[in-house]
Amino acid sequence: MPSQDGSLKAITANRLRDGVVVFLGADAAWVEAFADAALFAAADADAALAAAKAQAEGEQFGVDVYAFDVKTENGVPVPVKMRERIRALGPSVRLDLGKQAAA
């Protein structure tokens, strides 16, 4: 749910087992697709991030857990920064690889 200023956050990490980029989804489940990521109002993101970090560390599931900005374009949530766009889609030099190839 967006905050009053419309800003949203999502949470990401790298899975320890294989290094795959994952996103925090509904019910604190980690998902591989950004489309399945839970979106948080900026005011709620800090608490969600703290819980996600504790979960990932406690279960030895993931590393580099952090929140990032999300905006809505044509009704679809997209990461604001290129780094997270690439993490969500896969390599930018080979569109036949990564998550964009599966779409």
Side-chain angles (χ1 to χ4, degrees):
M1 171 183 298
S3 62
Q4 288 182 344
D5 68 358
S7 62
L8 295 169
K9 301 270 187 182
I11 297 172
T12 188
N14 286 87
R15 193 165 49 205
L16 273 174
R17 172 182 64 180
D18 54 11
V20 169
V21 174
V22 292
F23 303 92
L24 188 65
D27 301 322
W30 292 99
V31 297
E32 291 184 18
F34 174 71
D36 297 329
L39 301 178
F40 302 92
D44 301 327
D46 288 339
L49 179 59
K53 284 182 177 183
Q55 175 196 14
E57 182 179 307
E59 296 175 5
Q60 295 183 348
F61 175 81
V63 294
D64 194 24
V65 181
Y66 67 93
F68 62 93
D69 295 323
V70 175
K71 64 181 176 180
T72 303
E73 289 181 356
N74 299 321
V76 178
V78 295
V80 170
K81 293 188 178 180
M82 187 58 67
R83 178 178 196 247
E84 282 77 30
R85 287 185 187 209
I86 292 170
R87 287 174 57 84
L89 294 175
S92 59
V93 294
R94 294 272 313 266
L95 300 181
D96 60 323
L97 300 175
K99 296 175 184 176
Q100 74 266 18

